[in-house]
């Protein structure tokens, strides 16, 4: 029926036998495991082919049906009295359980999952990722391994996963041998990939390109390899995350995480001749509810055709949502006219290669079913509100929760604008998220105005208040006179942690059900924000140096790894600077530790103020500090480090003490390919500078070190 499935189960069996031996199982048990694991999916004989062979994401009912195969397989195999079949029954029942307890069918966790089930879980997922399926092409080996590593401790047993990754060379020998067609079988054909219609920009745009010259230089195009890897990661998420909304959000997060902060992504769906936001990553301001004649996204939905805008300055329909956007790609979801929704990708300071059309076109096809399933959530009956609560509970971070809360309140009550501020009257309200309708020109209300409303109207005792701006003395013009204010205090255990505020025209009236839904939603949002703030405090404490407020060694190592991966993906430079205070021991000996601490705090303030926003400053320990300088090569970093050194020398940190420092510089990729190699190189440059007399800057090179200037 399907020769590739036969090859799949054979390969999985051989992977499992290898893993069993490396984990120290007896040879006889390893052979049983190899044979029994081939039956891990035997329960799928009870699942309809229309589900198994569906060329796209499964809907919730189909997903529920296919998840039954684990229990069906166990029932088929159990109770025979055969050691082999009993092991196969255990594997069939447990290979879809997850190490964190969120798998199926029984949601067991950790070592409660039999070892054999944990082994087959890793082997099965690896082979599935690296095999072509009816609903997607195979992933490359690096992409597959990265996805496995992302599941360490959540989906997979860390011990089993580490052993598998250590044997990846042997695994690939099995993989390559298992991919040879069995004699007598027809060669399998590749899964067809969707072909997008060619997109030809209007003649006016083509002429403008020629005139623009450097604006269209190829160096501004983002790397197609980077985009391909990012789309692979996003597609994988869509097939591994069960909840539709979480899958879409995670896919966009994966896109931006793989490419970098210059990429902005969003998914909108059409409902009642407007397009509504489902998920977004990277935007400073959230806008929602566009009509079908507003903007490039709406044009893609209205016409059902791809909108490829390599230079947004040339398109009069472009709507600016955040600064610096230079290119936009809007891909309709679905084949209808108008389309069911749109995947929108924007770039800051870069443009798209034409090949991006195929990559993102394929991703849009994968997103289509997931987005269509979410259109029902645009209403606000009790079931929809419950789904919103579940989704909100999956969000991590104050900003993500606040953005979702303002967008939800605006859509729920039909508001013109909504904002969420954290804090209270005593500590000041700090803006966390602002949303407004496409037709609105409103700006966020200032903290002082919010404090005045809180003091004058005293709404804190009510869960929901509807106020006129004129009544609280904040109407400044005729337009403001006509506006009403929805005020929802965010409280946890009786303590105010923020406010959720909406603005609407005076004539807007809210149904009882709308107000009730808002009253239910606000405390849920408050609880989530409170938990996110507590988590953020703990995370900051774990990676922050208590004396200086800079990153500590643990926090620096995490950021260094992230920046190094980003530099490698994008083919960009990255430099690291290590500096330490000259004669710090004598400072402590003469002035005591209080003076020494004050010097370290002054150096940390200096670095925090003088570094660029993208740079990363940390205290490695003692009197040793470090800076990461993204996108600066060795020569540029050496100049920056020398400037910082001379400025630091000029700063008198104590009336009787001028502090000097010595700097060492190393750069990726010339001085090293890993964080360890680069830190070692910078450290060698630092000590060479110390030996040369201190209070100077040296850079490392393969032949030694070179002095600044």
């Amino acid at each position: 029926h399907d020769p590739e499935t036969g090859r799949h189960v054979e390969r999985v069996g051989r992977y499992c036998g290898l893993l069993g031996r490396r984990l120290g199982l007896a040879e006889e048990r390893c052979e049983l495991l190899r044979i029994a694991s081939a039956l891990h999916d035997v329960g799928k004989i009870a699942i309809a082919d229309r589900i198994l062979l569906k060329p796209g994401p499964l809907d919730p009912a189909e997903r529920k049906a296919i998840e039954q195969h684990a229990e069906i397989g166990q029932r088929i195999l159990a109770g025979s009295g055969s050691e082999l079949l009993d092991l196969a029954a255990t594997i069939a029942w447990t290979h879809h359980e997850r190490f964190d307890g969120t798998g199926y069918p029984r949601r067991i966790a950790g070592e409660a999952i039999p070892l054999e089930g944990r082994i087959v879980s890793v082997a099965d997922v690896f082979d599935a990722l690296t095999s072509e399926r009816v609903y997607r092409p195979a992933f490359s080996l690096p992409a597959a391994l990265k996805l496995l590593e992302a599941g360490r401790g959540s989906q997979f047993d860390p011990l089993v996963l580490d052993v598998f990754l250590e044997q990846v060379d042997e695994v690939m020998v099995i993989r390559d041998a298992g991919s040879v067609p069995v004699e007598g079988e027809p060669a399998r054909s590749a899964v067809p990939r969707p072909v997008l219609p060619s997109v030809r920009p209007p003649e006016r745009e083509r002429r403008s390109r020629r005139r623009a010259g450097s604006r269209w230089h190829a160096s501004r195009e983002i790397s197609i390899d980077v985009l391909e890897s990012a789309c692979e990661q996003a597609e994988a998420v869509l097939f591994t995350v069960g909840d539709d909304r979480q899958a879409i959000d995670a896919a966009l997060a994966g896109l931006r995480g793989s490419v970098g902060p210059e990429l902005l992504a969003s998914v909108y769906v059409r409902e009642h001749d407007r397009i509504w936001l489902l998920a977004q990553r990277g935007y400073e301001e959230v806008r929602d509810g566009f009509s079908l004649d507003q903007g490039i996204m709406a044009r893609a939905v209205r016409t059902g055709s791809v909108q490829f805008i390599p230079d947004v300055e040339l398109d009069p329909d472009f709507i600016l949502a955040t600064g610096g956007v230079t290119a936009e790609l809007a891909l309709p979801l679905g084949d209808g006219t108008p389309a069911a929704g749109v995947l929108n990708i924007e770039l800051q300071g870069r443009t798209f290669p034409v090949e991006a059309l195929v990559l993102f076109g394929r991703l849009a096809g994968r997103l289509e079913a997931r987005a269509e399933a979410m259109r029902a959530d645009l209403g606000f009956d009790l079931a929809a509100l419950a789904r919103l609560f579940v989704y909100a509970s999956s969000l991590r971070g104050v900003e993500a929760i606040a953005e979702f809360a303002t967008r939800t309140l605006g859509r729920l009550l039909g508001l013109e604008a909504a904002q969420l501020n954290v804090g209270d009257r005593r500590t000041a309200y700090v803006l966390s998220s602002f949303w407004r309708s496409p037709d609105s020109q409103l700006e966020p209300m200032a903290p002082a105005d919010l404090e005045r409303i809180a003091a004058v109207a005293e709404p804190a005792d009510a869960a929901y208040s509807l106020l006129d701006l004129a009544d609280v003395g904040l109407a400044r013009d005729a337009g403001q006179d006509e506006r009403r204010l929805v005020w929802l205090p965010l409280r946890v255990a009786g303590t105010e942690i923020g406010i959720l505020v909406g603005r609407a025209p005076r004539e807007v009236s809210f149904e009882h059900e709308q107000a009730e839904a808002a009253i239910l939603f606000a405390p849920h949002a408050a609880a989530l924000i409170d938990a996110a703030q507590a988590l953020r405090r703990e995370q900051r404490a774990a990676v922050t140096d208590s004396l200086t407020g800079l990153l500590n060694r643990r926090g620096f190592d995490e950021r260094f790894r992230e920046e190094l991966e980003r530099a490698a993906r994008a083919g960009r430079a990255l430099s690291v600077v290590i500096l330490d205070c000259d004669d710090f021991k004598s400072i402590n000996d003469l002035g005591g530790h209080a003076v020494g601490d004050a010097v370290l705090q002054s150096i940390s303030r200096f670095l925090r103020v003088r570094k660029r926003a993208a740079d990363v400053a940390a205290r490695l320990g003692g009197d040793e500090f470090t800076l990461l300088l993204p996108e600066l090569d060795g020569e540029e970093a050496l100049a920056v480090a020398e400037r910082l050194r001379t400025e630091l020398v000029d700063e008198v940190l104590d009336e009787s003490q001028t502090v000097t420092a010595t700097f060492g510089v190393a750069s990726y990729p010339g001085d090293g390919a890993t964080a360890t190699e680069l830190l070692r190189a910078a450290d060698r440059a630092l000590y060479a500078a110390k030996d040369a007399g201190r209070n100077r800057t040296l850079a490392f090179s393969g032949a030694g070190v070179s002095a600044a200037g």
Side-chain angles (χ1 to χ4, degrees):
H1 182 66
D2 182 11
E4 174 54 26
T5 298
R7 286 187 285 265
H8 165 70
V9 297
E10 181 182 354
R11 289 191 299 264
V12 168
R14 295 176 67 187
Y15 298 154
C16 291
L18 172 65
L19 274 175
R21 285 188 288 275
R22 295 297 183 267
L23 286 165
L25 299 183
E27 185 59 36
E28 181 181 356
R29 188 67 175 177
C30 292
E31 183 62 11
L32 282 173
L33 174 60
R34 183 187 68 80
I35 300 170
S37 60
L39 294 170
H40 64 280
D41 275 341
V42 70
K44 287 185 178 179
I45 65 172
I47 309 301
D49 279 358
R50 65 176 177 79
I51 298 177
L52 291 176
L53 303 179
K54 181 179 179 181
L58 303 178
D59 63 33
E62 292 167 337
R63 192 175 299 114
K64 184 176 181 181
I66 205 168
E67 288 180 356
Q68 294 174 0
H69 81 273
E71 291 188 82
I72 293 170
Q74 192 269 344
R75 291 202 301 270
I76 291 172
L77 297 167
S80 68
S82 160
E83 182 180 8
L84 174 64
L85 293 182
D86 284 347
L87 177 59
T90 297
I91 289 171
W93 206 15
T94 61
H95 74 285
H96 281 296
E97 299 290 357
R98 291 170 57 100
F99 201 70
D100 62 5
T102 62
Y104 66 87
R106 293 183 293 160
R107 301 177 72 85
I108 55 178
E111 295 187 3
I113 306 169
L115 176 61
E116 292 81 2
R118 286 178 268 149
I119 290 173
V120 175
S121 175
V122 174
D124 182 39
V125 170
F126 171 79
D127 199 73
L129 289 172
T130 54
S131 301
E132 290 183 347
R133 295 297 172 92
V134 294
Y135 47 82
R136 60 155 173 80
F139 289 96
S140 64
L141 177 63
L145 295 179
K146 188 171 182 178
L147 288 167
L148 289 176
E149 291 173 347
R152 180 192 307 275
S154 55
Q155 185 169 1
F156 307 117
D157 180 341
L159 172 63
V160 174
L161 179 62
D162 287 344
V163 170
F164 180 88
L165 296 175
E166 289 168 3
Q167 312 303 318
V168 71
D169 290 340
E170 291 186 60
V171 167
M172 290 310 296
V173 170
I174 295 171
R175 168 80 207 168
D176 294 340
S179 64
V180 177
V182 177
E183 186 176 352
E185 289 181 357
R188 61 193 175 99
S189 59
V191 176
R193 300 199 179 191
V195 178
L196 287 172
S198 62
V199 179
R200 184 177 176 86
E203 180 61 30
R204 177 172 63 86
E205 291 188 20
R206 294 198 295 274
R207 289 197 303 269
S208 297
R209 288 190 196 186
R210 290 193 290 269
R211 288 196 303 268
S214 61
R215 175 190 289 175
W216 286 94
H217 195 274
S219 64
R220 289 187 65 246
E221 287 189 353
I222 196 163
S223 164
I224 191 64
D225 293 333
V226 170
L227 293 180
E228 184 172 18
S229 175
C231 287
E232 279 190 345
Q233 300 295 321
E235 288 181 43
V237 168
L238 290 173
F239 288 105
T240 55
V241 176
D243 179 81
D244 293 305
R245 192 184 291 269
Q246 291 182 33
I248 293 171
D249 186 64
L252 299 189
L255 271 181
R256 192 162 193 256
S258 296
V259 175
E262 61 264 44
L263 182 138
L264 310 145
S266 58
V267 173
Y268 285 75
V269 294
R270 176 179 56 84
E271 188 73 16
H272 304 305
D273 290 326
R274 286 187 176 271
I275 56 173
W276 303 93
L277 184 66
L278 282 188
Q280 64 85 18
R281 286 296 171 124
Y283 290 93
E284 298 168 355
E285 178 184 305
V286 178
R287 303 187 74 177
D288 205 1
F290 291 97
S291 65
L292 295 189
D293 60 356
Q294 288 181 293
I296 294 168
M297 288 190 301
R299 191 169 73 206
V301 172
R302 184 177 70 251
T303 63
S305 61
V306 174
Q307 303 298 310
F308 179 45
I309 316 298
D311 187 346
V312 296
E313 292 181 11
L314 303 176
D315 196 307
D317 287 340
F318 173 68
I319 296 175
L320 182 66
T322 194
V325 171
T326 50
E328 183 171 1
L329 178 57
L331 302 108
L333 304 180
D335 298 325
T337 304
V342 62
L343 166 64
N344 197 62
I345 308 295
E346 295 183 323
L347 292 176
Q348 293 176 313
R350 310 292 291 277
T351 191
F352 297 101
V354 173
E355 296 89 340
L357 286 167
V358 175
L359 294 176
F360 285 110
R362 189 176 65 196
L363 178 60
R366 309 294 186 230
L367 278 165
E368 179 185 335
R370 287 284 172 110
E372 180 65 24
M374 296 310 303
R375 292 177 75 185
D377 278 357
L378 295 178
F380 284 95
D381 56 18
L382 185 59
L385 196 62
R387 288 193 295 270
L388 286 171
F389 285 173
V390 170
Y391 171 69
S393 299
S394 73
L395 298 175
R396 297 293 180 266
V398 173
E399 290 75 17
I401 297 166
E403 182 266 311
F404 178 73
T406 54
R407 170 161 45 99
T408 299
L409 183 71
R411 189 182 300 164
L412 171 64
L413 300 182
L415 300 173
E416 192 174 344
Q419 66 187 82
L420 190 148
N421 290 60
V422 296
D424 56 34
R425 276 195 294 162
R426 295 181 302 279
T427 60
Y429 293 112
V430 178
L431 182 67
S432 187
S433 178
F434 176 68
W435 169 95
R436 67 180 181 184
S437 68
D439 302 321
S440 174
Q441 299 300 317
L442 292 177
E443 298 293 334
M445 298 185 71
D449 289 341
L450 297 174
E451 292 165 17
R452 183 172 179 179
I453 297 169
V456 174
E458 297 184 348
D461 292 334
Y464 168 95
S465 298
L466 186 60
L467 309 166
D468 289 337
L469 284 178
D471 291 344
V472 292
L474 289 177
R476 300 187 178 96
D477 54 50
Q480 290 279 23
D481 285 337
E482 299 302 319
R483 292 216 166 85
R484 308 192 82 186
L485 196 74
V486 177
W487 181 280
L488 294 158
L490 302 177
R491 302 193 200 94
V492 175
T495 300
E496 184 182 6
I497 65 164
I499 47 170
L500 188 53
V501 180
R503 281 180 281 174
R506 179 185 293 274
E507 60 270 16
V508 169
S509 61
F510 305 122
E511 300 292 336
H512 172 72
E513 291 78 7
Q514 289 177 294
E516 187 174 29
I519 292 169
L520 288 171
F521 184 73
H524 188 75
L528 293 174
I529 288 173
D530 184 59
Q533 288 176 323
L535 178 62
R536 185 161 63 182
R537 287 192 294 269
E538 292 177 7
Q539 290 172 332
R540 284 179 176 172
V543 299
T544 302
D545 176 62
S546 59
L547 176 64
T548 65
L550 298 179
L551 289 176
N552 60 19
R553 181 60 186 263
R554 174 182 172 184
F556 174 75
D557 287 345
E558 291 177 0
R559 286 298 306 275
F560 201 171
R561 183 172 60 252
E562 293 170 2
E563 293 296 337
L564 198 55
E565 288 176 356
R566 184 173 291 116
R569 281 197 308 269
R572 299 174 186 171
L574 173 68
S575 294
V576 59
V577 178
I578 295 180
L579 61 137
D580 78 3
C581 183
D582 296 329
D583 295 319
F584 186 70
K585 184 177 184 302
S586 65
I587 294 174
N588 270 333
D589 290 345
L590 292 173
H593 288 291
V595 173
D597 287 350
V599 168
L600 296 178
Q601 290 169 337
S602 295
I603 294 174
S604 69
R605 283 193 298 271
F606 169 84
L607 293 176
R608 191 180 292 112
V609 170
R610 301 300 176 89
K611 74 180 184 66
R612 301 174 304 167
D615 297 340
V616 179
R619 181 189 179 196
L620 293 181
D623 62 330
E624 196 168 63
F625 295 82
T626 186
L627 277 172
L628 283 180
L629 306 176
E631 301 191 18
L632 294 190
D633 61 23
E635 185 176 345
E636 294 166 329
L638 186 63
V640 169
E642 176 63 8
R643 174 179 58 79
L644 290 173
R645 185 192 65 80
T646 56
E647 290 175 355
L648 178 63
V649 170
D650 291 339
E651 288 206 2
V652 178
L653 305 176
D654 181 80
E655 290 183 359
S656 60
Q657 181 71 55
T658 298
V659 172
T660 64
T662 302
F663 287 59
V665 181
S667 299
Y668 169 86
D671 299 334
T674 68
T676 300
E677 291 173 353
L678 290 167
L679 283 172
R680 187 182 297 123
D683 204 46
R684 286 180 59 187
L686 172 72
Y687 278 93
K690 291 277 190 186
D691 292 342
R694 304 184 180 184
N695 192 24
R696 64 191 62 212
T697 304
L698 293 181
F700 180 87
S701 70
V705 293
S706 58

